[in-house]
Amino acid sequence: MMVTFLFHTPLMAAPLKVVTSFSILADMTKEVGGEWIDVKPIVGPNQDTHVYEPRPSDLKNVAQADLIIINGLGFEGWIERLTQSSGYQKEVAVATQGLQPHRMNHDGQEVPDPHAWHSPQNALIYVENISNALQKVIPEHAADIQKRATSYQEKIKVLDQEMKDTFSIIPIEKRKVITAHDGFGYLGQDYDITFLAPLGISTDSEPSAHQLAVLIKQIHHEGIKAIFIENISNPRLLEQMASEAGVSLQGVLYSDALSAPGTEADTYLKMMHHNIGVLKKAFTVNLSQ
């Protein structure tokens, strides 16, 4: 008589459902959480969080989430309305918790600059906050999450040193860049780069003719060659400025969103390396002229 033994393999728990406010946070969170999480950004690649209007599908995703991770510092002006409308009552983690933000003028008021991820030193804080939030919700995987976070932070430290080495060979007076909006202040502070923009801290503002004229005059006077469009913004304004200043556009900088999956800046680290590369090229061209 043959006896058959049946062995039942325990079912793995479903991945934690995490919703992040935008694509850069989604990538960071995936790097930290790995296989233990399923991540969805509300604002996807090449989309502008400043002017985003939540959709019905966002309500559904938020309502079903186990954890929401946002940037904070006023970046997602619509997030409270979205969570309330969805009935979400679980954990909301703020990735910028504990860092010291820049202060900027916006419509006559001093507000924090939310674009803190452009500083690798701040990115280390983002990773720490993301790791803590994930470990709190799924403590059974805390050791693995901490290991992944530490490994990711080491890569960010390498990035920081690479950026220091890259920009150290460029004279400070040549490190001047024109972008669409004031989204690179932390990058500028960390590496002594002057970023100028016709738009303010948010892309929903509109520059006056006088502001544009002053900026075009500055481009002429200081010989600024590094003018970049942003992946989230309509290029028309920068194209107009470059034409009037007699300067060629130098390509694309990724500011508030990653590129589409499978392209040049579809992760945080790839985005930063892309931006380093195009800035270095523009600065080097400026040195030779």
Side-chain angles (χ1 to χ4, degrees):
M1 180 179 178
M2 181 179 292
V3 179
T4 301
F5 294 93
L6 298 178
F7 296 92
H8 296 279
T9 302
L11 294 175
M12 288 186 63
L16 187 78
K17 292 182 179 180
V18 183
V19 169
T20 66
S21 54
F22 69 122
S23 58
I24 295 171
L25 268 187
D27 175 64
M28 288 181 167
T29 302
K30 184 62 179 176
E31 285 289 334
V32 176
E35 65 184 294
W36 309 117
I37 64 172
D38 176 31
V39 186
K40 291 181 180 178
I42 296 171
V43 185
N46 294 316
Q47 292 183 306
D48 186 353
T49 304
H50 291 291
V51 297
Y52 187 75
E53 291 292 336
R55 302 166 297 180
S57 59
D58 298 323
L59 281 170
K60 180 180 178 181
N61 289 333
V62 168
Q64 295 176 345
D66 299 307
L67 172 67
I68 294 175
I69 302 177
I70 67 172
N71 184 77
L73 301 179
F75 186 54
E76 308 95 341
W78 37 263
I79 192 66
E80 185 174 352
R81 183 174 73 253
L82 177 58
T83 54
Q84 288 179 349
S85 299
S86 70
Y88 181 83
Q89 295 183 341
K90 298 178 184 177
E91 189 83 10
V92 177
V94 180
T96 56
Q97 182 178 346
L99 64 78
Q100 294 298 316
H102 294 170
R103 308 295 296 184
M104 298 185 68
N105 184 280
H106 179 60
D107 292 337
Q109 293 185 326
E110 191 178 77
V111 297
D113 180 354
H115 307 88
W117 59 85
H118 284 297
S119 162
Q121 292 300 314
N122 284 338
L124 296 175
I125 297 174
Y126 275 64
V127 172
E128 190 69 23
N129 287 327
I130 291 168
S131 175
N132 290 340
L134 292 175
Q135 290 182 56
K136 181 178 179 180
V137 181
I138 44 175
E140 64 272 24
H141 301 303
D144 186 54
I145 289 169
Q146 185 58 57
K147 182 179 179 181
R148 293 182 65 91
T150 301
S151 175
Y152 190 33
Q153 287 175 318
E154 288 305 313
K155 294 177 183 178
I156 294 172
K157 291 175 184 177
V158 171
L159 167 72
D160 181 38
Q161 188 58 52
E162 179 181 342
M163 294 176 76
K164 289 175 180 175
D165 294 342
T166 297
F167 296 125
S168 67
I169 63 174
I170 309 294
I172 291 178
E173 65 273 14
K174 298 295 184 181
R175 302 179 205 169
K176 295 180 181 179
V177 186
I178 307 294
T179 59
H181 86 300
D182 279 327
F184 296 93
Y186 293 90
L187 183 64
Q189 183 182 63
D190 280 9
Y191 307 104
D192 290 316
I193 303 171
T194 299
F195 283 91
L196 305 168
L199 303 178
I201 194 173
S202 174
T203 55
D204 63 359
S205 59
E206 189 71 29
S208 67
H210 175 70
Q211 289 172 315
L212 289 177
V214 169
L215 192 51
I216 290 170
K217 183 177 180 180
Q218 186 173 3
I219 293 171
H220 278 299
H221 179 70
E222 299 182 17
I224 301 173
K225 305 294 183 183
I227 302 182
F228 291 89
I229 60 174
E230 294 177 34
N231 66 315
I232 63 165
S233 302
N234 188 322
R236 179 186 55 81
L237 179 61
L238 270 294
E239 289 171 347
Q240 174 191 340
M241 286 185 58
S243 176
E244 293 185 20
V247 178
S248 299
L249 290 171
Q250 298 297 309
V252 178
L253 284 176
Y254 290 88
S255 54
D256 297 10
L258 301 178
S259 63
T263 57
E264 62 190 3
D266 61 354
T267 71
Y268 172 72
L269 292 177
K270 285 173 67 176
M271 177 191 80
M272 296 296 284
H273 279 112
H274 168 85
N275 287 349
I276 296 170
V278 295
L279 286 171
K280 178 184 177 183
K281 182 179 179 181
F283 292 153
T284 303
V285 169
N286 197 16
L287 279 175
S288 65
Q289 295 179 345

